[in-house]
Amino acid sequence: MNGYGWDMVGFGLLHMALFWGLIGAAIVILVRAARGDREGVAVPSKLTRLEERYARGEIDRGEFERGKLDIER
């Protein structure tokens, strides 16, 4: 028993810090998920979706112009 067991204290402190760090990280993840943080998720604007539909040929120019005027109001 060289060192009176102090080497085991270091392992205990390391494991305790790791345990509480993981608990803290889990709490942060759960809170962010509950709040609905969605960083990096881009939602296209109405005008962008209208332009995409026009580009795909789903709507004609008249519908595109009416939709654009409607969005700008």
Side-chain angles (χ1 to χ4, degrees), residues 19-67:
F19 172 78
W20 287 112
L22 289 174
I23 295 293
I27 290 171
V28 168
I29 290 169
L30 289 174
V31 167
R32 285 187 178 182
R35 283 192 358 212
D37 289 347
R38 302 287 188 260
E39 295 177 14
V41 177
V43 178
S45 68
K46 291 179 182 181
L47 184 58
T48 302
R49 288 187 293 185
L50 188 67
E51 290 169 342
E52 288 173 354
R53 289 186 64 201
Y54 180 60
R56 286 192 298 262
E58 294 177 9
I59 58 175
D60 62 4
R61 184 162 182 83
E63 287 180 87
F64 174 74
E65 292 298 330
R66 282 192 301 276

Side-chain angles (χ1 to χ4, degrees), residues 10-21:
F11 279 120
L13 290 174
L14 177 68
H15 285 114
M16 185 173 62
L18 231 132
F19 172 78
W20 287 112

